[in-house]
Amino acid sequence: MSNLDCCSGSVHSWSYKNRAAAKHLIERYYHQLTEGCGNECCSNSWCASSVGFTRMDNNAAAVKALELYKVNAKLCDPHPSKKGTASTYLESSTHSNSASSDQQVNHKEALTLRENFKDVSYLTEEKVYEILGMCGEKEDYSPLIRVIGRVFSSAEGLVQSFRRSKPHTKEELKSLQGKDEDKDEDEKEAAACSATAMEEDSPSSSTRPGEGSSGDNDVQKLAPDEVSVDIDAVRRVYERLLSNEKIEAAFLNALVYLSPNVECDLTYHNVYSRDPNYLNLFVIVMENSNLHSPEYLEIALPQFCKAMSKLPLAAQAKLARLWSHYSAEQIRRMMETFQQLITYKVISNEFNSRNLVNDDDAVVASTKCLKIVYYANVLGGDLDVEHNEEEDEEPIPESSELTLQELLGEERRNKKGPRVDPLETELGVRTNDCRRPLIPFEEFINEPLNEVLEMDKDYTFFKVETENKFSFMTCPFILNAVTKNLGLYYDNRIRMYSERRITVLYSLVQGQQLNPYLRLKVRRDHIIDDALVRLEMIAMENPADLKKQLYVEFEGEQGVDEGGVSKEFFQLVVEEIFNPDIGMFTYDEYTKLFWFNPSSFENEGQYTLIGIVLGLAIYNNCILDVHFPMVVYRKLMGKKGTFRDLADANPVLNQSLKELLEYEGSVEEDMMITFQISHNDLFGNPLMYDLRENGDKIPVTNDNRREFVAQYSDYILNKSVEKQFKAFRRGFHMVTNESPLKYLFRPEEIELLICGSRNLDFLALEETTEYDGGYNRDSRIIKDFWETLHSFGEEQKRLFLQFTTGTDRAPVGGLGKLKMIIAKNGPDTDRLPTSHTCFNVLLLPEYSSKDKLRERLLKAITYAKGFGML
């Protein structure tokens, strides 16, 4: 139970005055238990200053404070020696016995000063400066500390504080664009609205200040990304006050008292729906630039995050829209606040399979709060919500899992498509709509969390979707590509096992002997014909079979496919498909990238099969050596190509169009180009295309050149290859349509998933390699091996990876994630090293010299091809 949780629920049902009085008494008991009265000779056994008192933590003190209040236990008056520090906290006592006449005079002055502000129930910037000035004259800041404590620990007071001045004309109110010009009229309006709200507020009702007609009217006047609080005023106030340590402590302690009540309000009293101005509270607290400091991490910030995580979806969306107008520095500060709390909780606890990080309320709550900042970062970035690919006209055939569910009398979960984040839907924006966020997406990844996350458990929570178990896969922005790839691996494997069970069930029911695997038997020299014909038959007859585990067999070879044979199959297929002689793709010598050939003679079915191959590679956790520009992956994720995508897809054309846009002279007279363009077909013959009707008669001018560039880019990246790409995408989705792929990954991560990492760090591979059969890290042959491998050139290193693992690319996360094993394969011999590519195992004889090792290893990796039984 968190601080004062226990008291907030019971106190809430009383009338407002009784609750305020009870709260003050409980606060006094709490500080008596945690700080004491300051009298070293105190005899009160429930005072921290007494000799025999046993110290207790904050949670225990909160519980005990309520108990002492219920039995009306003795309360100490603050000792004179304690006055300076006690005022830092929310002590409500204003009576103490002085030791001398001078102290009595000073105390009376202080009381008079405090009495002047006892009726302050909410704050404005002017009121803060007024109190600050008076306190500065007396050199006693305790009245200001007390006012801050009272207002910032009260949801009612904080919601009403720092309101923006109201526009003074009806026309400006309607347009939402009015500016404050007549201060006197604004004050009269504010006073009238406050009076209306007070008339509607009664002790027996649950309406709070700001919930009456005033609150409702404010909401009607505000845009979706506006709040009634003056954010600039709040920032100025924090800047003035946070430099004072005692005043800063008042903010800290007030937040401890505020958060449990706010959590209760949002959980049980539906307060935001009655008064959307309640959101002001969160805006004001989040402007505190010290939230990430160590003092807040233990109690105050975790409790506040728990309260904030209870905000309804509409409130979260409004916060995200509001914060999207903040600067990158302000977004980064809020992001770092929540990230620091997550990291602090992760490193201060020992999370494992029995003590899951998913069960830590503070980590879960701060992750949910971080999601709001994440979408603010997306909304505030460079958005492109218009250029979206059209959905497939024909629905993708669904898995036969539906038949199994019906057979068992159950309803299928998630019938339509992949999961979509509710906040994303509420905001009407997707992560893929953002080309450049305010701060890089990578900064939202929390590595310590990724290290302790039990992904198998987290994936289970993700699929089951229970309310009492949180899955970090619902917040994929906080996960790195390695962790998300593991979640995708579990999803793919479970789907494979599901298809296998379905096959067995059909075999029992129908009496037919069905194959539980997607089995492909191919000839090495006819691999395209054999593989694509077989896949085409499966796609037409039963697309659900594509979700089975792939099992490849090369005719005439003895290799058993435990993963390695499939790797070589994919590599050979890719080499054949992307051969420029076939003509399905064009190759750019400058960028070293492939693009769809708009003049290809191949039918759409061939591109569909290529899409299936890419989907199967992801589904079966195989890396492909494909070289597409990033726009292909953006298009696979539902975004059309635009001029900005030409930079890597066709840099020469991109530069020409860029120069056209920047040209300062007369485009029409100097360049003499029209809305008719030409491109070459497969045989180099020029083909003409009108970007607009009668394009050859429409000149490009300074006024319409942006339209020309946009339409030219659209033709090159979308319209000219529309048939080819749609077929390709359809094949890809045949395999991945039920996968969380689109939900978890951004386009650049999809590329990493398919192609692996191009950065080969063999030092990282050496650190993670394991040894077997008598070898260890200190063996002579092992030391010779690594010295030899590190001396290889880039091409030889890639050949070694191909020989050992079946691919020359590093997996997601780099070579350190490969888990290679080097096993002893007998004493010195003339035999070559061999490998089990299925398991990344290198079988290395104990050669007598380093030179012999180098010679044998180079020969093995240079001439390796085919599979046999060892």
Side-chain angles (χ1 to χ4, degrees), residues 632-679:
V632 171
Y633 303 103
R634 282 183 54 80
K635 286 167 70 69
L636 280 176
M637 300 294 276
K639 300 299 296 183
K640 283 186 177 181
T642 66
F643 170 60
R644 298 176 61 170
D645 295 301
L646 275 178
D648 65 328
N650 194 332
V652 176
L653 177 59
N654 177 76
Q655 184 60 32
S656 299
L657 294 177
K658 189 176 180 182
E659 291 173 359
L660 171 64
L661 292 174
E662 296 172 352
Y663 188 67
E664 295 180 357
S666 172
V667 172
E668 182 177 4
E669 295 178 1
D670 298 345
M671 296 189 177
M672 294 187 295
I673 52 179
T674 67
F675 274 77
Q676 185 180 73
I677 61 173
S678 66
H679 65 94

Side-chain angles (χ1 to χ4, degrees), residues 423-520:
L423 185 54
E424 192 174 273
T425 303
E426 182 76 14
L427 292 168
V429 68
R430 299 176 298 169
T431 297
N432 292 328
D433 293 334
C434 185
R435 286 190 170 270
R436 187 176 64 253
L438 288 174
I439 60 176
F441 289 126
E442 290 75 18
E443 294 191 28
F444 284 86
I445 297 172
N446 189 290
E447 292 296 347
L449 174 66
N450 280 265
E451 290 174 6
V452 301
L453 185 60
E454 299 287 337
M455 204 57 199
D456 54 343
K457 305 287 196 309
D458 192 84
Y459 172 77
T460 303
F461 302 151
F462 178 73
K463 293 299 288 185
V464 174
E465 296 185 72
T466 57
E467 292 184 4
N468 59 340
K469 286 294 185 181
F470 176 79
S471 168
F472 289 94
M473 285 180 70
T474 60
C475 298
F477 57 83
I478 204 171
L479 305 177
N480 59 35
V482 176
T483 305
K484 288 190 281 191
N485 187 39
L486 188 57
L488 185 66
Y489 173 80
Y490 286 131
D491 186 81
N492 293 341
R493 289 293 156 179
I494 288 174
R495 207 171 298 279
M496 288 176 186
Y497 297 149
S498 175
E499 292 295 337
R500 201 175 300 172
R501 288 195 301 270
I502 293 167
T503 303
V504 172
L505 185 60
Y506 274 127
S507 298
L508 293 174
V509 174
Q510 299 180 354
Q512 298 178 3
Q513 188 64 36
L514 301 177
N515 197 327
Y517 298 97
L518 173 58
R519 188 179 293 273
L520 296 178

Side-chain angles (χ1 to χ4, degrees), residues 22 88 186 349 354 570 627 645 746:
T88 301
D186 289 341
N349 290 280
R354 294 185 178 180
F570 281 119
H627 305 272
D645 295 301
R746 303 190 306 275

Side-chain angles (χ1 to χ4, degrees), residues 12-35:
H12 240 291
S13 59
W14 302 338
S15 68
Y16 178 72
K17 292 181 180 179
N18 287 340
R19 186 177 72 172
K23 185 177 179 183
H24 280 304
L25 287 173
I26 294 171
E27 289 169 359
R28 288 188 60 192
Y29 280 119
Y30 176 78
H31 287 296
Q32 180 175 292
L33 291 166
T34 55
E35 300 296 326

Side-chain angles (χ1 to χ4, degrees), residues 329-559:
E329 291 72 22
Q330 290 163 334
I331 291 289
R332 181 174 280 109
R333 176 185 61 79
M334 291 191 291
M335 179 273 295
E336 289 175 348
T337 296
F338 297 124
Q339 288 281 37
Q340 193 152 336
L341 176 57
I342 295 170
T343 301
Y344 169 74
K345 289 295 182 181
V346 167
I347 64 177
S348 60
N349 290 280
E350 294 184 4
F351 293 115
N352 50 46
S353 58
R354 294 185 178 180
N355 179 29
L356 296 176
V357 68
N358 306 68
D359 295 328
D360 188 289
D361 290 340
V363 175
V364 169
S366 50
T367 302
K368 292 178 179 178
C369 296
L370 186 62
K371 179 192 281 190
I372 302 175
V373 181
Y374 173 80
Y375 278 105
N377 184 51
V378 170
L379 284 171
D382 187 358
L383 285 181
D384 175 16
V385 295
E386 297 178 355
H387 300 92
N388 299 314
E389 289 280 0
E390 297 178 1
E391 296 294 330
D392 291 315
E393 296 178 2
E394 300 179 27
I396 302 295
E398 292 189 338
S399 167
S400 55
E401 183 183 356
L402 177 64
T403 308
L404 174 64
Q405 298 282 351
E406 289 179 339
L407 195 60
L408 299 177
E410 300 175 2
E411 290 188 10
R412 191 183 184 196
R413 293 176 183 267
N414 300 328
K415 289 184 179 179
K416 291 189 177 180
R419 184 193 301 247
V420 178
D421 190 282
L423 185 54
E424 192 174 273
T425 303
E426 182 76 14
L427 292 168
V429 68
R430 299 176 298 169
T431 297
N432 292 328
D433 293 334
C434 185
R435 286 190 170 270
R436 187 176 64 253
L438 288 174
I439 60 176
F441 289 126
E442 290 75 18
E443 294 191 28
F444 284 86
I445 297 172
N446 189 290
E447 292 296 347
L449 174 66
N450 280 265
E451 290 174 6
V452 301
L453 185 60
E454 299 287 337
M455 204 57 199
D456 54 343
K457 305 287 196 309
D458 192 84
Y459 172 77
T460 303
F461 302 151
F462 178 73
K463 293 299 288 185
V464 174
E465 296 185 72
T466 57
E467 292 184 4
N468 59 340
K469 286 294 185 181
F470 176 79
S471 168
F472 289 94
M473 285 180 70
T474 60
C475 298
F477 57 83
I478 204 171
L479 305 177
N480 59 35
V482 176
T483 305
K484 288 190 281 191
N485 187 39
L486 188 57
L488 185 66
Y489 173 80
Y490 286 131
D491 186 81
N492 293 341
R493 289 293 156 179
I494 288 174
R495 207 171 298 279
M496 288 176 186
Y497 297 149
S498 175
E499 292 295 337
R500 201 175 300 172
R501 288 195 301 270
I502 293 167
T503 303
V504 172
L505 185 60
Y506 274 127
S507 298
L508 293 174
V509 174
Q510 299 180 354
Q512 298 178 3
Q513 188 64 36
L514 301 177
N515 197 327
Y517 298 97
L518 173 58
R519 188 179 293 273
L520 296 178
K521 187 172 183 178
V522 296
R523 294 167 292 175
R524 188 176 287 271
D525 52 349
H526 293 84
I527 192 166
I528 294 296
D529 295 336
D530 293 350
L532 297 190
V533 167
R534 174 70 179 138
L535 288 174
E536 185 174 17
M537 290 176 60
I538 293 171
M540 292 173 58
E541 295 175 359
N542 188 11
D545 281 357
L546 296 173
K547 309 251 173 81
K548 294 178 179 179
Q549 183 175 349
L550 180 64
Y551 188 94
V552 177
E553 180 182 349
F554 283 105
E555 192 173 282
E557 298 182 20
Q558 297 174 313

Side-chain angles (χ1 to χ4, degrees), residues 806-821:
T807 177
D808 63 352
R809 296 293 188 96
V812 178
L815 287 180
K817 302 293 181 181
L818 193 57
K819 305 299 181 188
M820 188 176 78
I821 299 174

